[in-house]
Amino acid sequence: MPADPAVTPELVAKHGLMPEEFERIKKILGRDPNFTELGIFSVMWSEHCSYKNSRRELKKFPTSGPNILVKAGEENAGVVDIGDGWAVAFKIESHNHPSAIEPFQGAATGVGGIIRDIFTMGARPEFLLNSLRFGPITEFRRPDTGNGKEKDLSAIPNPKSEIQNNRRLFTGVVSGIAHYGNCIGIPTIGGEIYFDESFEGNPLINVFCLGVLRHEQLARGAASGVGNPVFYVGAETGRDGLAGAAFASRELTEESREDRPAVQVGDPFKEKLLLEACLELLATDAVAGIQDMGAAGLTCSTCETASRGGTGVEIDLAKVPKREPGMTPYEILLSESQERMLIIAKRGRENIVREVFEKWDVPCAEIGRVTDDGMMRVRNNGTLVAEIPAKPLADEAPLYSREARKPTADFADDTDGSWNQKISAPSAVESLRMLLRDPSIASKNWVYRQYDHMVRTGTVVLPGSDAAVFRVREANKILAATTDCNSLYCRLGPREGGRIAVAEAARNLTCSGATPLAVTDNLNFGNPYKPENFWQLREAVEGVAETCRAFGTPVVGGNVSLYNESPASVVDPTPTVAMVGLIDDEAHITTQFFKAEGDAIILVGEIGDEMGASHFLKVCHGRKEGLPPRLDVERELAVQNSVRELIRAGLVKSAHDCSEGGLAVALAESCFNPDGRFGAEIEIASTLEDYAILFNESQSRIVISCAADDAEKVMTILRSKNIPHSLLGSVAIKTLCIKTAAAELSWPIDDLYDDWFHAIRRAVETDSEPVPSL
C-alpha cells in the first residue's frame, strides 16, 4: 500500500478547507492531521455535511409544535404525530451534482439515500415524491435574462446541442428514479417538474420519502452504552462515491464533470433486503442505535452516532466488508457506496443481529465498540490511522454568515400596469395553447407512467391532481403530500417566492381535502461566497420561515444544496417546500377535475391582475421579469380555511389551485378529467385586458365546482366570511368558452388536451430515437 501524501497547504486547499479552518483542526487535534484525518475533516466540514454557510439561516425556521416528535436536526428525519399512536417520518434531500454527471445513477442513488433516512427512524417507507428542474427540452424561444428593455432575445432558439443534453439529463434522471423506486417496491406518487435555461447543466434532483411507524417503534441514531458492539451491515464498501459530500460542496466545472468516481452506484434489490432486515432487527429490542451511511459514509455514521450519544466509537477498518482489493483507510472512510448502515447493538445480543442479517442474506460484520472517551478512533488491522474528538468533528464545524448583497441587476422594476406598453400579445386563444404545451405546465404523464405508483395499493389519488393522496391501511389514516416552488418568483423576489412556496403547498393540500401538518424543505442555491447568492438564500429562508409560522407548519428537517452553478450560470434559487397533510374522512378526498355537466364553477379569491414573473410573460414573450405576485397571508389562510370547510360540508365536487399560467390554465386543467373530459362555459365581468384576466398569477385563488343547486349555499358561506369570490359559469362538454368584456374566446377541449397531454412525449422524441419507457 503506497504511503500517504504529505499534508501541504496545496493539499489542504484541494480538500476544500480554508487556512483558518486548517488551523482550527490543528487546535482540536493538538497536532497536524495526517492524510486520512484531513480527508475526514474535509467531508464532515463540507457544506453538504456541516451546513457551515447556512446553519445560522436555518435557525430562523420554526421547528416546534404539539405534534412534533423528532425536531429538525435531531435525527435522520423529522417525525410527526398523526394520532392514535401513529406517526410519520419524512424528509427531502438532493442529489444534484451526481445527477448532472451520471443522471441515471445520480437520481437512482438519491432515491436510495432518502429511503434509508426513513427506515433508519424505524418507519416503513410508504411513498416517494420528487421535485425536478432541468434546462429546456423544446426548441422554442429563449427568455431574455436581462431587464427586457435593452434587447429582446425572444426569437433566438435554444442551441440544439443544449436541448439534446437537457433531454439526456431529463430522460436519464426519470429512468433512474423509476428504476430504483419500482425495483424496491415503493410507489412514486407525485411531485413537480420545471424546465428553464438556468438549470442547463445544473439539474436539481430533490427526492422526498415518507414512512409510517408506531410511537414505540421510533429508533435513534446514537452510540449509547459503553462497550456495546458496533456492526457494519449492508453492501460491501467500494470506491464509488468517494468523497461525494465534498464533491457536492463546490461548483460544477469541466474538471468536476469528469469526476465520475464521485457518483455512487445503487442496487435497489440489495436495499430492499437491507430495509427488511433492519426493520425486523429493530423489532427485537437488540438495537441501541442505528445510522445510515449516507453523505461521508462510514466517517459520518461513526462520528455522528458518537456525538449524539455523548460517547466515543472505535472501529477497525480491516473488519469492514470490501468489494475492491487494496483500499486505503482514506478510501474506506470516505467511500459513499450505497445500501449500508451502522448499527450499535446491545451487548449480549450480537447473535440476534447476525441471525437476522444472515436470514436476509445481507453482509454483517462486527467492526468495533462504543467507548467512553468521546473519540472517533479508527484502526486498520490494529494500527491507529485516525483519532479525532467526535463532537467537534460532527457538530462544531465553523459557522459563517457570508456577505449578502441584493443583485444590482433589477429584473423586477416594472409595475403590472406597464405591460400594455411593453408587449404585443399574441391572441389569448393561442397563448393558452402555448402555455399548455410548455413542459413546465403540460401533463407529466410521460414521467409518472414510468413509475409504479400503484405498488402497495395505497395510492388513492393518482398522479396529476393538486396533491398526492395515500391511504396507510395499517394506521387507518389518509395522508396528502406535495412539493412546490416557483423558481422564477424566487429569482425575481426570493422572499416573496419563499412565502408563496409554502402557501401554494398548503393550498394544494387544501384542494385535496387535507389539513397541513408540517414541512420539510430543500434549499437549492448557488455559491454562498457570492454575495448575491447568499442574499437570495437569506431572503428565501426568511420568507419560508415567516409563512410556516403563519400556517402552523413547523419545518421538521430537510437539506441544503449550495454551489448549484457552473461557469455558464447559476440556477434560479429554488427553496423547494414539501408539505404533508392529514385527511380526516375518506369522503373529504377531493381532486381538481370537474365531475358533471351543469355543475357550477366558482372562483374563490379575486380575479387578480398581477402579471409580473408570470409564465405568460416567460412562455409567450420570452421575458423573465417583473415583480412576482404578492401574498396576503391572512387572505390566503381565510381562502384555504373556507374551502376546507366547504369540502367537509360535502359541497365541493372539485378544487384546483390557480398557479402557473393563471385562471385560464386552471380552468383547462380542471376539464381534463381522466374518466372523461369536460368543457366549461365561463363569463367574467372585468374591464381588464384579456391576457391580464386569464393569465395573471395573483395568489390565494382556488377554482371549485359544486352541484348547481348548491351554488347559492356555497356563495352564502363565502359571503359570510368576507371571502372574495365569483360565480364564473358552469361545466359543459367539448368546448372551453370564456366570455370577457372584450371578446368571446373558445377552444375545443380535445385540442387543448392534445397540446397538454402529449407535449413532453413530443419534446423528448423530437429529432431522436423514441425514448423507451421502463
Side-chain angles (χ1 to χ4, degrees), residues 468-520:
V469 178
F470 191 89
R471 186 194 313 277
V472 183
R473 286 186 169 80
E474 61 267 35
N476 194 29
K477 301 290 182 182
I478 302 172
L479 301 171
T482 184
T483 62
D484 286 284
C485 181
N486 187 313
S487 303
L488 180 53
Y489 292 172
C490 295
R491 168 192 169 92
L492 299 172
R495 182 181 294 262
E496 204 66 31
R499 297 173 77 231
I500 290 172
V502 176
E504 185 177 351
R507 204 181 310 137
N508 283 330
L509 296 185
T510 291
C511 288
S512 301
T515 301
L517 293 176
V519 159
T520 176

Coordinates of all heavy atoms in Angstrom, one line a residue, residues 468-520:
A468 N -50.7 14.5 -3.9 CA -50.8 13.1 -3.8 C -51.6 12.7 -2.6 O -51.5 13.3 -1.6 CB -49.4 12.5 -3.7
V469 N -52.4 11.7 -2.7 CA -53.2 11.2 -1.6 C -52.9 9.7 -1.4 O -53.0 8.9 -2.4 CB -54.7 11.5 -1.8 CG1 -55.5 10.9 -0.6 CG2 -54.9 13.0 -1.9
F470 N -52.6 9.3 -0.2 CA -52.2 7.9 0.1 C -52.9 7.4 1.3 O -52.9 8.1 2.4 CB -50.7 7.8 0.2 CG -50.1 6.5 0.2 CD1 -49.7 5.8 -0.9 CD2 -49.9 5.8 1.4 CE1 -49.2 4.6 -0.9 CE2 -49.4 4.5 1.5 CZ -49.0 3.9 0.3
R471 N -53.4 6.2 1.3 CA -54.1 5.6 2.4 C -53.1 4.6 3.1 O -52.5 3.7 2.5 CB -55.3 4.8 2.0 CG -56.1 4.2 3.2 CD -57.1 3.1 2.7 NE -57.9 3.6 1.6 CZ -59.0 4.3 1.7 NH1 -59.4 4.7 2.8 NH2 -59.6 4.7 0.6
V472 N -52.8 4.8 4.4 CA -52.0 4.0 5.2 C -52.9 3.0 5.9 O -53.5 3.3 6.9 CB -51.1 4.7 6.2 CG1 -50.2 3.8 6.9 CG2 -50.3 5.8 5.5
R473 N -53.0 1.8 5.3 CA -54.1 0.9 5.8 C -53.8 0.4 7.3 O -54.7 0.3 8.1 CB -54.2 -0.4 4.9 CG -54.8 0.0 3.6 CD -55.1 -1.3 2.8 NE -55.9 -1.0 1.6 CZ -55.6 -0.4 0.5 NH1 -54.3 0.0 0.4 NH2 -56.4 -0.2 -0.5
E474 N -52.6 0.2 7.6 CA -52.3 -0.4 9.0 C -52.6 0.7 10.0 O -52.9 0.3 11.2 CB -50.8 -0.8 9.1 CG -49.8 0.3 8.9 CD -49.3 0.4 7.4 OE1 -50.1 0.1 6.5 OE2 -48.1 0.6 7.2
A475 N -52.6 2.0 9.7 CA -52.9 3.0 10.6 C -54.3 3.6 10.5 O -54.7 4.4 11.3 CB -51.9 4.2 10.5
N476 N -54.9 3.2 9.4 CA -56.3 3.7 9.1 C -56.2 5.2 9.0 O -57.1 5.9 9.5 CB -57.3 3.3 10.1 CG -58.7 3.5 9.6 OD1 -59.0 3.5 8.4 ND2 -59.6 3.8 10.6
K477 N -55.2 5.7 8.3 CA -55.0 7.2 8.1 C -54.9 7.5 6.6 O -54.4 6.6 5.8 CB -53.7 7.7 8.8 CG -53.7 7.4 10.3 CD -54.7 8.3 11.0 CE -54.6 8.1 12.5 NZ -55.6 8.9 13.3
I478 N -55.3 8.7 6.2 CA -55.2 9.1 4.8 C -54.3 10.4 4.8 O -54.6 11.4 5.5 CB -56.6 9.5 4.2 CG1 -57.5 8.2 4.2 CG2 -56.4 9.9 2.7 CD1 -58.9 8.5 3.8
L479 N -53.2 10.3 4.1 CA -52.3 11.4 4.0 C -52.3 12.0 2.6 O -52.6 11.4 1.6 CB -50.9 10.8 4.3 CG -50.6 10.1 5.6 CD1 -49.3 9.5 5.6 CD2 -50.8 11.1 6.8
A480 N -52.0 13.3 2.6 CA -51.8 14.1 1.4 C -50.4 14.7 1.4 O -49.9 15.1 2.5 CB -52.8 15.1 1.2
A481 N -49.7 14.8 0.3 CA -48.4 15.3 0.3 C -48.1 16.0 -1.1 O -48.7 15.7 -2.1 CB -47.3 14.3 0.5
T482 N -47.3 17.1 -1.0 CA -47.0 17.8 -2.2 C -45.6 18.4 -2.1 O -45.1 18.6 -1.0 CB -48.0 19.0 -2.4 OG1 -47.8 19.6 -3.7 CG2 -48.0 20.0 -1.3
T483 N -45.0 18.7 -3.3 CA -43.8 19.5 -3.3 C -44.1 20.8 -4.2 O -44.7 20.6 -5.2 CB -42.6 18.8 -3.9 OG1 -42.9 18.4 -5.3 CG2 -42.3 17.5 -3.1
D484 N -43.5 21.9 -3.8 CA -43.9 23.2 -4.5 C -42.7 24.2 -4.4 O -42.1 24.3 -3.4 CB -45.1 23.8 -3.9 CG -46.4 23.1 -4.4 OD1 -46.8 23.2 -5.5 OD2 -46.9 22.3 -3.5
C485 N -42.5 24.8 -5.5 CA -41.6 26.0 -5.5 C -41.7 26.6 -6.9 O -41.5 25.9 -7.9 CB -40.2 25.7 -5.1 SG -39.1 27.2 -5.2
N486 N -41.9 27.9 -7.0 CA -41.8 28.6 -8.3 C -40.4 29.3 -8.3 O -40.3 30.4 -7.7 CB -42.9 29.6 -8.4 CG -43.0 30.2 -9.8 OD1 -42.0 30.7 -10.3 ND2 -44.2 30.3 -10.4
S487 N -39.5 28.8 -9.0 CA -38.1 29.3 -9.0 C -38.0 30.7 -9.7 O -37.2 31.5 -9.3 CB -37.2 28.4 -9.8 OG -37.2 27.1 -9.2
L488 N -38.9 31.0 -10.6 CA -39.0 32.3 -11.3 C -39.4 33.3 -10.3 O -38.8 34.4 -10.2 CB -39.9 32.2 -12.5 CG -40.1 33.5 -13.3 CD1 -38.7 34.1 -13.7 CD2 -41.0 33.3 -14.5
Y489 N -40.4 33.1 -9.4 CA -40.7 34.0 -8.4 C -39.5 34.3 -7.5 O -39.2 35.4 -7.1 CB -41.8 33.5 -7.5 CG -43.2 33.3 -8.2 CD1 -44.2 32.7 -7.5 CD2 -43.5 33.9 -9.4 CE1 -45.5 32.6 -8.0 CE2 -44.7 33.7 -10.0 CZ -45.7 33.1 -9.3 OH -47.0 32.9 -9.8
C490 N -38.8 33.2 -7.1 CA -37.6 33.3 -6.2 C -36.5 34.1 -6.9 O -35.7 34.7 -6.2 CB -37.2 31.9 -5.8 SG -38.5 31.1 -4.8
R491 N -36.3 34.0 -8.2 CA -35.3 34.7 -8.8 C -35.6 36.2 -8.8 O -34.8 37.1 -8.5 CB -35.2 34.3 -10.3 CG -34.4 35.2 -11.2 CD -34.6 34.8 -12.7 NE -34.1 35.8 -13.6 CZ -32.8 35.7 -14.1 NH1 -32.0 34.8 -13.8 NH2 -32.4 36.7 -15.0
L492 N -36.9 36.6 -9.0 CA -37.3 38.0 -9.1 C -37.7 38.6 -7.7 O -37.8 39.8 -7.6 CB -38.4 38.1 -10.1 CG -38.1 37.7 -11.5 CD1 -39.3 37.7 -12.4 CD2 -37.0 38.6 -12.1
G493 N -37.9 37.7 -6.8 CA -38.3 38.2 -5.4 C -38.1 37.0 -4.4 O -39.1 36.4 -4.1
P494 N -36.9 36.7 -4.0 CA -36.7 35.5 -3.2 C -37.6 35.4 -1.9 O -38.0 34.3 -1.6 CB -35.2 35.4 -3.0 CG -34.7 36.8 -3.2 CD -35.6 37.4 -4.2
R495 N -37.8 36.5 -1.2 CA -38.6 36.4 0.0 C -40.0 36.1 -0.4 O -40.6 35.2 0.2 CB -38.5 37.7 0.7 CG -39.3 37.7 2.1 CD -39.2 39.0 2.8 NE -37.8 39.3 3.2 CZ -37.4 39.1 4.4 NH1 -38.2 38.6 5.4 NH2 -36.1 39.4 4.8
E496 N -40.5 36.8 -1.4 CA -41.9 36.5 -1.8 C -42.0 35.1 -2.4 O -43.0 34.4 -2.1 CB -42.4 37.6 -2.8 CG -43.9 37.7 -2.8 CD -44.5 38.3 -1.5 OE1 -43.8 39.1 -0.9 OE2 -45.6 38.0 -1.2
G497 N -41.0 34.7 -3.1 CA -41.0 33.3 -3.7 C -41.1 32.3 -2.6 O -41.8 31.3 -2.7
G498 N -40.3 32.5 -1.5 CA -40.3 31.5 -0.4 C -41.6 31.5 0.3 O -42.2 30.4 0.7
R499 N -42.3 32.7 0.5 CA -43.6 32.7 1.1 C -44.6 32.0 0.3 O -45.4 31.2 0.8 CB -44.0 34.2 1.3 CG -43.1 35.0 2.2 CD -43.4 36.5 2.3 NE -44.6 36.7 3.1 CZ -45.7 37.4 2.7 NH1 -45.7 37.9 1.5 NH2 -46.7 37.5 3.5
I500 N -44.6 32.2 -1.0 CA -45.5 31.6 -1.9 C -45.4 30.1 -2.0 O -46.3 29.4 -2.1 CB -45.5 32.3 -3.3 CG1 -46.0 33.7 -3.2 CG2 -46.3 31.5 -4.4 CD1 -45.8 34.5 -4.5
A501 N -44.1 29.6 -1.9 CA -43.9 28.2 -2.0 C -44.6 27.5 -0.8 O -45.2 26.4 -1.0 CB -42.4 27.9 -1.9
V502 N -44.6 28.1 0.3 CA -45.3 27.5 1.5 C -46.8 27.6 1.3 O -47.5 26.6 1.5 CB -44.9 28.2 2.8 CG1 -45.7 27.6 4.0 CG2 -43.4 28.0 3.1
A503 N -47.3 28.8 0.9 CA -48.7 29.0 0.7 C -49.3 28.1 -0.4 O -50.4 27.5 -0.2 CB -49.0 30.4 0.3
E504 N -48.5 27.9 -1.5 CA -49.0 27.0 -2.6 C -49.0 25.6 -2.1 O -50.0 24.8 -2.5 CB -48.2 27.2 -3.8 CG -48.8 26.4 -5.0 CD -48.2 26.6 -6.3 OE1 -47.3 27.4 -6.4 OE2 -48.5 25.8 -7.2
A505 N -48.0 25.1 -1.4 CA -48.0 23.8 -0.9 C -49.3 23.5 0.0 O -50.0 22.5 -0.2 CB -46.8 23.5 -0.1
A506 N -49.5 24.5 0.9 CA -50.7 24.3 1.7 C -52.0 24.4 0.9 O -53.0 23.6 1.2 CB -50.7 25.4 2.8
R507 N -52.0 25.2 -0.1 CA -53.2 25.3 -1.0 C -53.5 24.0 -1.7 O -54.6 23.6 -1.9 CB -53.0 26.5 -2.0 CG -54.3 27.1 -2.5 CD -54.0 28.2 -3.5 NE -53.0 29.2 -3.0 CZ -52.0 29.7 -3.6 NH1 -51.8 29.3 -4.9 NH2 -51.2 30.6 -3.1
N508 N -52.4 23.4 -2.2 CA -52.6 22.1 -2.9 C -53.1 21.0 -1.9 O -53.9 20.2 -2.3 CB -51.2 21.7 -3.5 CG -50.9 22.4 -4.7 OD1 -51.7 22.9 -5.5 ND2 -49.6 22.6 -5.0
L509 N -52.7 21.0 -0.7 CA -53.2 20.1 0.3 C -54.7 20.4 0.6 O -55.5 19.5 0.6 CB -52.4 20.1 1.6 CG -50.9 19.7 1.5 CD1 -50.3 19.6 2.9 CD2 -50.8 18.3 0.8
T510 N -55.0 21.7 0.7 CA -56.4 22.1 1.0 C -57.3 21.7 -0.1 O -58.4 21.2 0.1 CB -56.4 23.6 1.2 OG1 -55.8 24.0 2.4 CG2 -57.9 24.1 1.2
C511 N -56.8 21.8 -1.4 CA -57.6 21.4 -2.5 C -57.9 19.9 -2.6 O -58.8 19.5 -3.2 CB -56.9 21.9 -3.9 SG -57.0 23.6 -4.2
S512 N -57.1 19.2 -1.9 CA -57.2 17.7 -1.8 C -58.0 17.3 -0.6 O -58.3 16.1 -0.4 CB -55.9 17.0 -1.8 OG -55.1 17.4 -2.9
G513 N -58.4 18.3 0.2 CA -59.2 18.0 1.4 C -58.4 17.8 2.7 O -59.0 17.3 3.7
A514 N -57.1 18.1 2.7 CA -56.3 17.9 3.8 C -56.0 19.1 4.6 O -56.0 20.2 4.2 CB -54.9 17.3 3.3
T515 N -55.7 18.8 5.9 CA -55.2 19.9 6.8 C -53.7 19.8 6.9 O -53.1 18.7 7.2 CB -55.7 19.7 8.2 OG1 -57.2 19.8 8.2 CG2 -55.2 20.8 9.2
P516 N -52.9 20.8 6.5 CA -51.4 20.8 6.6 C -50.9 20.5 8.0 O -51.4 21.0 9.0 CB -51.0 22.2 6.1 CG -52.2 22.7 5.3 CD -53.4 22.1 6.0
L517 N -49.8 19.7 8.0 CA -49.2 19.3 9.3 C -47.9 19.9 9.5 O -47.6 20.5 10.5 CB -49.1 17.8 9.4 CG -50.4 16.9 9.5 CD1 -50.1 15.5 9.5 CD2 -51.2 17.3 10.8
A518 N -47.0 19.7 8.6 CA -45.6 20.1 8.7 C -44.9 20.1 7.4 O -45.4 19.6 6.4 CB -44.8 19.1 9.7
V519 N -43.6 20.6 7.4 CA -42.9 20.9 6.2 C -41.5 20.3 6.3 O -40.9 20.2 7.4 CB -42.7 22.4 6.0 CG1 -41.6 22.8 5.1 CG2 -44.1 23.0 5.4
T520 N -40.9 19.8 5.2 CA -39.5 19.6 5.0 C -39.1 20.3 3.8 O -39.9 20.4 2.8 CB -39.2 18.1 4.9 OG1 -37.8 17.9 4.7 CG2 -39.9 17.4 3.8

